């Protein structure tokens, strides 16, 4: 965790008079030609800050969406705005070689522009449901990790992910999710959370943070002050969490408190309204009481705070996009992620500083935090990504094996009436529903006879994902039951489906629709793996609670 040294606070005032007093235009002849001499991030960041124009400092606050698949397509944005970074999405990512070349090109553009500050190149690579890379090992979702109860596996996921990202020049991952999922109807977190127990979530998230940062990749814990108790998706609306300060401190706070103490590089805000914690009627992203008051002053966090994406409707309810950017900075945010109109947002923040609404001292606080983190993670002297090495890492067999081990350890057997599972070798099985092709292929490889009809089958396996809210999936399970064959459900989303599927004979929760999770389910059904996962959440509407799970 970063701590502002007393000498730096005094030095900042002096730097403001020299850096900003002579006008806002860059001074190319005074630009450092290489990284600052000091090896202390505090002193080096101050040295860099003194050489930056006002526009360049404001630029460090912005992280826009990347355009296209080449650096050249983004050259104008780098030159005009000097952004603090970019965020990659699937449309920007093709092959390891292409991503490495694009990352290298972007860093070259940044080095040749303005103060020459390198870029955060970030991505949402949580693994599981939220994964952007089209190559490399695919691990199960966070809830599957929670079911293993093994922080070593969380660290293994983050280490492998960090290696894959760093190989293609991506130096920041918007992960892990530190939200405690206590709402079965949560439409946006769910299996992205490690579970409903604050201690478990904190332990697993801390393991990932440590592994990401040891791998040279900036870790971003999200979404403060907590998005696990919502029934509204903040991408489409503003969730309201009407819980007391006491309840929030008991459930949502502990993982973030643990990560602050562990020195997490960056924390992302949530676009949620918590009226009992903050009377401003603003989402947390725009709340000085929550970001500056609670996160900074009460928890003592002096790392980088980033907003969640500013193009989400949860933060666009009451202000225009320029005002949202200004208010986020005033609330205490250091980086503004994905403004829907970069020019409008940049102009609004720049004007707010020039007019004194955002003080230059407040701006410099954020820029110093950003620069310190870039120095601490070695961005100024990072070697270019090597395309050949990137291709090798993407196909790393050890990473794929690790993903399968995590999936195998996560499978949670919650019902097994009459000892139906494991099925005997050679048993006939009809496979239907979500993931049927992959589950069926894995069962066939394990010696079971996969049939085209339920008639005479020893069991019908039905894959589900969110059946509680999907009548077609529930109807498919009902038709399988009507066949007269025993029914095995493989739940690949949250495990809450069980309450909506009465009368089934066996129920497996794998918490993920990744191929490794479907293979793991097949291994348990066939008896090649004994189920060892334990429920990471309570199951409302059933007699099963956190920690539940059967074995063979």
């Amino acid at each position: 965790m970063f701590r502002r040294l007393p000498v730096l606070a005094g030095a900042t005032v002096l730097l403001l008079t020299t850096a900003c007093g002579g006008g806002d235009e860059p001074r190319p002849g005074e630009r450092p030609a290489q990284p600052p001499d000091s090896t202390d991030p505090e002193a080096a960041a101050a040295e860099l800050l003194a050489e930056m124009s006002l526009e360049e400092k404001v630029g460090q606050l912005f992280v826009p969406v990347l355009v296209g698949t080449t650096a050249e397509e983004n050259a104008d944005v780098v030159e005009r705005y000097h952004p603090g970074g970019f965020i990659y999405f699937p449309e920007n990512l093709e092959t390891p070689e292409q991503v490495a070349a694009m990352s290298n090109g972007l860093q070259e553009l940044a080095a040749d522009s303005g103060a020459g500050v390198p870029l955060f190149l970030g991505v949402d690579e949580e693994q599981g449901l939220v994964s952007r890379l089209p190559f490399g090992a695919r691990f199960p979702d966070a809830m599957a990790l929670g079911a293993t109860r093994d922080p070593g596996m969380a660290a293994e996921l983050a280490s492998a992910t960090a290696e894959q990202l760093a190989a293609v020049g991506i130096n920041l991952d918007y992960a892990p999710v530190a939200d405690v999922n206590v709402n079965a109807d949560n439409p946006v977190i769910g299996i992205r959370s490690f579970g409903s127990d604050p201690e478990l979530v904190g332990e697993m998230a801390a393991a990932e943070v440590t592994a990401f940062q040891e791998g040279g990749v900036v870790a971003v814990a999200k979404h403060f002050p907590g998005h696990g108790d919502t029934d509204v998706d903040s991408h489409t609306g503003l969730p309201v969490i009407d819980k007391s300060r006491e309840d929030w401190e008991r459930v949502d706070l502990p993982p973030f408190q643990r990560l602050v103490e562990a020195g997490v590089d960056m924390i992302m805000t949530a676009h949620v309204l918590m009226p009992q914690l903050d009377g401003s009627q603003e989402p947390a992203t725009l709340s000085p009481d929550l970001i500056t008051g609670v996160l900074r002053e009460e928890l003592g966090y002096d790392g980088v705070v980033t907003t969640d994406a500013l193009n989400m409707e949860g933060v666009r309810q009451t202000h225009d996009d320029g005002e949202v950017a200004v208010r986020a900075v005033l609330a205490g945010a250091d980086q503004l992620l994905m403004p829907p109109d970069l020019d409008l947002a940049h102009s609004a923040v720049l004007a707010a500083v020039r007019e004194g609404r955002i003080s230059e001292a407040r701006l410099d606080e954020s820029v110093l935090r950003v620069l310190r983190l870039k120095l601490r993670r070695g961005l100024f002297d990072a070697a270019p990504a090597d395309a050949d090495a990137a291709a090798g890492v993407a196909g790393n067999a050890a990473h794929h094996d690790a993903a399968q081990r995590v999936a195998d350890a996560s499978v949670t057997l919650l019902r097994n009436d009459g000892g139906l599972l494991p099925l005997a070798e050679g048993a006939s099985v009809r496979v239907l529903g979500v993931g049927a092709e992959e589950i069926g292929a894995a069962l066939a490889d394990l010696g079971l006879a996969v049939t085209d009809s339920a008639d005479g089958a020893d069991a019908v396996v039905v894959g589900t994902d969110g059946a509680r809210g999907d009548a077609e999936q529930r109807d498919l399970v009902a038709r399988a039951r009507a066949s007269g064959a025993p029914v095995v459900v493989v739940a690949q989303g949250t495990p809450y489906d069980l309450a909506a599927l009465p009368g089934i004979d066996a129920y497996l929760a794998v918490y993920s629709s990744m191929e490794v999770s479907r293979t793991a389910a097949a291994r348990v059904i066939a008896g090649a793996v004994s189920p060892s996962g334990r429920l990471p959440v309570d199951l409302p509407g059933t007699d099963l609670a956190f920690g539940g799970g059967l074995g063979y």
Side-chain angles (χ1 to χ4, degrees), residues 32 46 75 84 120 128 131 160 183-184 206 210 224 252 261-262 296 302 311 314 324 369 386 414 453 495 504 528 550:
F120 283 138
S131 295
N183 191 326
T210 299
F224 183 85
D252 303 280
E261 294 167 355
R296 295 279 192 218
D302 196 29
N311 62 358
V324 164
R369 290 189 189 105
D386 180 273
L414 295 172
S453 172
I504 57 176
L550 305 171

Side-chain angles (χ1 to χ4, degrees), residues 375-394:
L375 287 157
R376 186 173 178 176
R377 290 290 157 241
L379 269 62
F380 283 85
D381 54 8
D386 180 273
D388 293 335
V393 170

Side-chain angles (χ1 to χ4, degrees), residues 139-349:
F139 283 76
D141 294 80
M143 194 170 283
L145 269 295
T148 73
R149 297 297 197 276
D150 186 352
M153 287 191 167
E156 200 166 5
L157 176 152
S159 293
T161 304
E163 189 174 350
Q164 292 172 18
L165 296 178
V168 295
I170 297 175
N171 53 38
L172 182 150
D173 193 355
Y174 291 102
V177 171
D179 300 315
V180 181
N181 199 84
V182 292
N183 191 326
D185 295 320
N186 196 318
V188 67
I189 303 300
I191 55 174
R192 297 169 61 197
S193 165
F194 293 108
S196 63
D197 178 72
E199 183 176 353
L200 174 65
V201 173
E203 181 179 34
M204 303 301 273
E208 287 201 4
V209 163
T210 299
F212 275 125
Q213 294 177 183
E214 288 180 350
V217 171
V218 170
V220 184
K222 57 190 185 185
H223 309 80
F224 183 85
H227 210 315
D229 193 11
T230 64
D231 57 9
V232 172
D233 184 347
S234 54
H235 291 84
T236 58
L238 177 59
V240 179
I241 304 175
D242 194 17
K243 63 170 56 176
S244 68
R245 171 82 187 225
E246 180 182 10
D247 286 345
W248 173 76
E249 288 182 353
R250 178 177 54 84
V251 176
D252 303 280
L253 174 61
F256 290 102
Q257 191 164 23
R258 179 164 183 167
L259 295 178
V260 168
E261 294 167 355
V264 64
D265 283 336
M266 192 178 293
I267 292 178
M268 177 183 285
T269 65
H271 304 326
V272 298
L273 183 64
M274 303 191 76
Q276 294 195 52
L277 272 68
D278 171 27
S280 71
Q281 294 302 304
E282 294 280 14
T285 296
L286 308 182
S287 169
D289 286 349
L290 291 174
I291 306 307
T292 297
V294 176
L295 183 56
R296 295 279 192 218
E297 296 173 359
E298 293 185 28
L299 301 186
Y301 184 65
D302 196 29
V304 175
V305 171
T306 178
T307 69
D308 203 345
L310 295 182
N311 62 358
M312 295 166 59
E313 289 305 312
V315 77
R316 305 176 73 195
Q317 301 285 309
T318 56
H319 309 290
D320 68 41
D321 293 327
E323 180 66 8
V324 164
V326 171
R327 287 181 178 243
V329 175
L330 290 171
D334 304 306
Q335 290 213 300
L336 307 172
L337 180 62
M338 297 170 57
D341 186 329
L342 176 59
D343 188 68
L344 175 64
H346 185 276
S347 298
V349 173

Side-chain angles (χ1 to χ4, degrees), residues 384-438:
D386 180 273
D388 293 335
V393 170
N396 189 315
H399 294 171
H400 291 273
D401 291 344
Q404 190 61 64
R405 285 197 305 275
V406 171
D408 288 350
S410 74
V411 181
T412 309
L413 179 61
L414 295 172
R415 180 171 293 171
N416 193 21
D417 290 352
L420 173 64
L421 300 179
L423 298 178
E425 184 176 357
S428 60
V429 183
R430 173 74 167 129
V431 186
L432 304 168
V434 178
E437 184 175 348
E438 290 172 327

Side-chain angles (χ1 to χ4, degrees), residues 16 20 24 53-55 57-59 61-62 326 329-330 346-364 367:
L16 287 171
C20 300
D24 298 330
S53 71
L54 181 58
E55 289 89 347
K57 290 193 288 186
V58 169
L61 274 56
F62 287 92
V326 171
V329 175
L330 290 171
H346 185 276
S347 298
V349 173
L350 188 60
V353 177
R354 285 174 169 158
E355 294 164 3
R357 185 178 175 198
I358 298 174
S359 71
E360 292 183 356
R362 169 68 195 90
L363 173 64
D364 283 3
V367 178

